[in-house]
Amino acid sequence: GLSTTWILDGMDETSTLISIDNDETLLSIAKENLGVDRRLTLICTDGADWIKRNAGQKYSFIFADTWPGKYLLLDEVLDMVEKGGIYIIDDMLPQANWPTGHAEKATDLISYLDSRDDIILTKMGWATGIIIITKR
């Protein structure tokens, strides 16, 4: 996935970054290494709950690495991307560790994204398969 350090390096002083995870251990590593950066907010919560609580908010960049932001609440998350904003997902190329049926889910997701006329998407056959979307 994208490194939080890399994202922070590319942000200006007025930018903010919210990183959400349901694993406090992972967040504690980020806090230890990046916690002094006032632009970073780390939140330990369920991703789906956070998305539901923050519906209506707009963001210029969303990286959706897990189920809530890619599959479970996709329309809600895409609605959170501001016009001209970027939405990135990974793991779109077949993976050896995918459970039975997941390949079809990924294929269906890509087909659905292709069908939307409010986004422009670029599929990258790179790494685990990255899709970069810009909101029209």
Side-chain angles (χ1 to χ4, degrees), residues 108-128:
D108 290 346
L109 171 60
I110 294 167
S111 294
Y112 174 68
L113 292 171
D114 275 333
S115 76
R116 290 183 62 134
D117 62 3
D118 63 333
I119 60 175
I120 300 169
L121 72 150
T122 302
K123 300 171 211 163
M124 301 177 70
W126 175 81
T128 64

Side-chain angles (χ1 to χ4, degrees), residues 15-82:
S15 298
T16 59
L17 173 65
I18 300 169
S19 186
I20 301 155
D21 204 301
N22 63 359
D23 185 338
E24 186 61 51
T25 303
L26 296 176
L27 288 175
S28 67
I29 294 168
K31 285 177 189 171
E32 182 179 316
N33 292 288
L34 304 168
V36 297
D37 194 318
R38 63 171 179 70
R39 301 171 299 171
L40 176 63
T41 302
L42 300 168
I43 301 172
C44 186
T45 190
D46 177 77
D49 292 342
W50 189 90
I51 292 165
K52 291 173 188 174
R53 284 192 314 270
N54 289 278
Q57 296 292 322
K58 295 291 184 186
Y59 298 92
S60 57
F61 175 79
I62 296 176
F63 173 58
D65 185 38
T66 60
W67 279 77
K70 283 197 281 195
Y71 296 103
L72 302 176
L73 297 167
L74 176 63
D75 289 330
E76 292 84 347
V77 172
L78 288 174
D79 285 344
M80 296 172 98
V81 179
E82 68 185 20

